[in-house]
């Protein structure tokens, strides 16, 4: 068991290094999956994950807002999009029962959750308070 | 500054149809849309009463309408309309980015879900409380949910969730569902439970929905039932905030008052779709959009009040 844990840790570190090396700071939301979710939220200080699915109307409404904010907050907040249709583990872990749901992380820890297609300034106010 | 013929506020079935008719009749029009791409119609799991399609999902139908409208019209979907005012000649539409001037306006902003107003509703939103079965139904597969409401939307959502493999109970305040017979038959055939004469007193649960407290309106009895989810489908509220200061006539239920030609009491200001009340179906929204565009066209050519 111990050996396996070490092995997992080694793989995780390697993947994380690869991630760090491969991308610069993104100015648009990155696609995040169950597998790389933890690495992604730990890689940046402040992270917003937009949990969505293709069949969800309000998610479509929120999408362009998130894209716009991602451009404006480049270098300060990293944005990810998680498709809840294709990824089941993360929604289950965070007890997501409604989409769109936004998850806010600081230093890898979940600090806030918001449900629904919220207006842009409500989201940026949350981000600003996390940045200060 | 360019003055265009028509501002269409709202990109649901009414606004999209209005744009097609307006531009084909030779008018210059722009749609302002909040970016929901098709409005509430998007959230219908499926639609069986829009002629031409035996069965189509709300989202697919709205994608088609939008694609068709975009052959003609520019849809401004990244700027929010903040106000509509009128000077002595034109309408001034102020958005988060710019100010535009139009000769006429077709106001088709639709409606938003009505809230139940029961304790626990806001606190447990996203924790089992939902207003959109197509969005969230998937998370309740193999779980137990209550649908609050008794109209066509509530019935469709109940049937949709049942098909997903959810244990569904409809809770309705009256002794009979308002939904059309075809839905009622399906509800019986599928074995969906219905609790009549009951209103929700409270949505129960600490961090997650655990159940609802019901009050029987006839006997006054209170009972607690266990559920993992509560889907609220008790009608809609017309979105009239932007026109309240303009002096547009609004009826007691909150809908904008229109005549048969979709004209309001303000010259060159029309309305169509859910916000103008009536039957509030996709087909009637489209129809009203077409009529509004035609009236706008007629009035620009030859105002009826001169």
């Amino acid at each position: 068991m111990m050996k396996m844990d070490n092995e997992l840790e080694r793989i995780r570190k390697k993947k994380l290094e690869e991630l760090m090396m491969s991308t610069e700071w993104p100015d648009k939301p990155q696609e995040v999956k169950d597998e790389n979710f933890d690495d992604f939220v730990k890689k940046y200080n402040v992270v917003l994950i937009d949990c969505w699915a293709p069949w969800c109307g309000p998610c479509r409404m929120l999408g362009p807002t998130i894209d716009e904010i991602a451009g404006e907050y480049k270098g300060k907040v990293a944005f990810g999009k998680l498709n809840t249709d294709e990824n089941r583990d993360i929604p289950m872990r965070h007890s997501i029962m409604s989409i769109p749901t936004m998850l806010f992380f600081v230093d890898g820890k979940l600090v806030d959750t918001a449900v629904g297609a919220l207006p842009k300034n409500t989201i940026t106010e949350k981000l600003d308070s996390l940045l200060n | 500054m360019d003055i265009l013929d028509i501002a269409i506020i709202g990109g649901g079935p009414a606004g999209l149809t209005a744009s097609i008719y307006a531009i084909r009749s030779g008018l210059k029009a722009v749609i302002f849309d909040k970016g929901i791409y098709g409005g509430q119609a998007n959230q219908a799991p499926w639609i069986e009463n829009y002629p031409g399609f035996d069965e189509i999902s709300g989202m697919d139908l709205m994608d088609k309408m939008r694609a068709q409208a975009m052959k003609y019209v520019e849809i401004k979907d990244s700027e929010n309309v903040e106000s509509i005012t009128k000077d002595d000649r034109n309408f001034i539409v102020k958005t988060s980015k710019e100010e535009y001037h139009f000769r006429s306006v077709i106001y088709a902003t639709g409606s938003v879900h009505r809230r139940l107003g029961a304790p626990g509703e806001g606190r447990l939103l996203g924790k089992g409380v939902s207003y959109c079965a197509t969005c969230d139904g998937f998370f309740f597969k193999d779980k137990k949910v209550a649908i609050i409401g008794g109209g066509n939307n509530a019935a469709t959502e109940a049937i949709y969730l049942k098909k997903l493999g959810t244990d569904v109970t409809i809770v309705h305040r009256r002794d009979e569902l308002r939904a059309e017979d075809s839905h009622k038959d399906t509800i019986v055939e599928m074995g969906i439970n219905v609790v009549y004469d009951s209103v929700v007193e409270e949505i129960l649960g600490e961090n997650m929905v655990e159940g609802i407290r019901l009050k029987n309106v006839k006997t006054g009895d209170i009972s607690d039932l266990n559920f993992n989810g509560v889907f609220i489908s008790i009608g809609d509220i017309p979105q009239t905030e932007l026109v309240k200061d303009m002096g547009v006539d609004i009826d007691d239920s909150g809908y904008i008052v229109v005549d048969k030609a979709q004209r309001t009491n303000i010259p060159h200001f029309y309305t169509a779709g859910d916000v103008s009340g009536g039957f509030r179906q996709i087909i009637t929204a489209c129809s009203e959009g077409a009529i509004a565009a035609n009236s706008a066209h007629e009035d620009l050519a030859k105002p009826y009040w001169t």
Side-chain angles (χ1 to χ4, degrees):
Chain A
M1 198 61 199
M2 190 67 187
K3 200 179 158 202
M4 201 170 133
D5 281 352
N6 286 338
E7 180 70 6
L8 281 175
E9 183 58 20
R10 197 184 61 76
I11 293 170
R12 203 186 71 79
K13 270 196 171 157
K14 187 161 169 275
K15 287 257 176 209
L16 190 60
E17 278 163 16
E18 277 173 13
L19 249 170
M20 297 282 245
M21 294 291 286
S22 65
T23 51
E24 289 179 22
W25 194 285
D27 62 354
K28 57 181 181 193
Q30 305 292 295
E31 193 185 341
V32 178
K33 295 181 173 301
D34 279 345
E35 299 80 39
N36 67 353
F37 181 87
D38 288 326
D39 290 337
F40 188 83
V41 299
K42 282 175 190 155
K43 186 179 166 188
Y44 305 96
N45 284 349
V46 183
V47 174
L48 190 168
I49 305 282
D50 168 20
C51 302
W52 69 287
W55 63 71
C56 152
C59 299
R60 290 188 175 195
M61 185 174 168
L62 182 64
T65 310
I66 297 284
D67 293 349
E68 208 176 305
I69 301 173
E72 291 168 16
Y73 280 72
K74 185 185 176 178
K76 294 192 281 188
V77 180
F79 295 79
K81 288 191 189 236
L82 181 96
N83 180 330
T84 57
D85 192 20
E86 293 166 356
N87 300 280
R88 309 281 163 90
D89 296 349
I90 297 299
M92 203 179 285
R93 194 204 291 173
H94 291 288
S95 309
I96 290 174
M97 299 170 101
S98 191
I99 47 176
T101 285
M102 285 172 275
L103 304 171
F104 297 79
F105 290 86
V106 173
D107 297 329
K109 286 202 181 77
L110 181 72
V111 291
D112 201 357
T113 305
V115 178
L118 300 177
K120 185 181 169 186
N121 57 1
T122 312
I123 303 168
T124 52
E125 274 166 24
K126 277 183 186 288
L127 292 175
D128 291 341
S129 75
L130 296 180
L131 287 167
N132 290 327
Chain B
M1 183 188 298
D2 273 2
I3 299 173
L4 298 184
D5 297 317
I6 308 184
I8 298 168
I9 319 290
L16 293 172
T17 311
S19 77
I20 295 172
Y21 275 78
I23 291 178
R24 287 176 63 91
S25 71
L27 301 176
K28 291 196 163 50
V30 173
I31 294 182
F32 294 92
D33 183 52
K34 268 189 181 168
I36 199 163
Y37 306 120
Q40 288 223 41
N42 255 326
Q43 295 186 8
W46 61 80
I47 293 156
E48 292 168 318
N49 54 11
Y50 191 86
F53 299 95
D54 284 349
E55 185 182 316
I56 186 167
S57 76
M59 196 169 272
D60 284 349
L61 180 62
M62 294 323 298
D63 279 350
K64 284 178 193 291
M65 272 192 213
R66 188 177 165 87
Q68 189 179 354
M70 281 175 80
K71 287 184 186 167
Y72 301 96
V73 72
E74 182 194 354
I75 303 181
K76 291 186 182 294
D77 56 10
S78 61
E79 46 192 308
N80 201 23
V81 175
E82 288 171 350
S83 69
I84 305 170
T85 48
K86 195 175 186 320
D87 61 17
D88 47 355
R89 296 180 64 97
N90 297 307
F91 294 94
I92 301 151
V93 174
K94 194 167 170 286
T95 72
S96 45
K97 288 185 181 154
E98 261 181 80
E99 200 176 279
Y100 304 85
H101 290 233
F102 294 93
R103 292 186 182 88
S104 45
V105 171
I106 296 177
Y107 192 79
T109 48
S111 53
V112 291
H113 298 298
R114 185 181 294 279
R115 301 223 159 194
L116 199 54
E121 183 181 15
R123 186 170 51 84
L124 294 166
L125 175 68
K127 300 292 170 198
V129 172
S130 172
Y131 300 86
C132 176
T134 33
C135 307
D136 303 335
F138 175 81
F139 298 110
F140 296 88
K141 212 175 161 215
D142 304 321
K143 293 190 174 158
K144 224 180 141 185
V145 307
I147 312 273
I148 318 299
N152 279 336
N153 285 348
T156 314
E157 299 209 321
I159 296 164
Y160 173 78
L161 290 168
K162 185 76 180 181
K163 281 189 180 168
L164 279 179
T166 309
D167 183 342
V168 182
T169 301
I170 296 174
V171 174
H172 188 42
R173 63 195 163 125
R174 300 189 199 285
D175 58 6
E176 197 184 348
L177 297 180
R178 206 159 24 84
E180 60 191 36
D181 284 355
S182 131
H183 288 323
K184 283 194 227 171
D185 294 345
T186 311
I187 285 166
V188 173
E189 279 163 26
M190 293 183 86
I192 294 171
N193 317 315
V194 186
V195 177
Y196 294 102
D197 298 318
S198 297
V199 292
V200 179
E201 289 278 287
E202 189 177 349
I203 298 174
L204 308 168
E206 191 91 356
N207 302 312
M208 292 276 176
V209 167
E210 288 165 20
I212 51 178
R213 178 159 298 156
L214 288 183
K215 181 181 172 187
N216 186 304
V217 291
K218 288 195 172 150
T219 63
D221 288 347
I222 301 283
S223 55
D224 289 356
L225 300 177
N226 292 333
F227 290 106
N228 307 106
V230 180
F231 286 80
I232 297 163
S233 186
I234 53 165
D236 301 298
I237 299 172
Q239 299 204 83
T240 53
E241 299 75 26
L242 286 171
V243 300
K244 287 208 165 119
D245 297 338
M246 275 183 58
V248 174
D249 283 347
I250 289 173
D251 70 16
D252 292 343
S253 308
Y255 297 107
I256 298 176
V257 179
V258 282
D259 66 9
K260 274 189 170 173
Q262 300 303 126
R263 293 183 179 109
T264 68
N265 59 316
I266 310 259
H268 293 294
F269 193 91
Y270 314 85
T271 182
D274 278 6
V275 76
S276 62
F279 196 24
R280 289 178 291 129
Q281 298 289 298
I282 296 173
I283 187 101
T284 53
C286 291
S287 158
E288 290 161 15
I291 293 168
N294 185 54
S295 300
H297 182 244
E298 282 180 2
D299 295 347
L300 284 172
K302 189 183 182 310
Y304 67 91
W305 54 88
T306 57

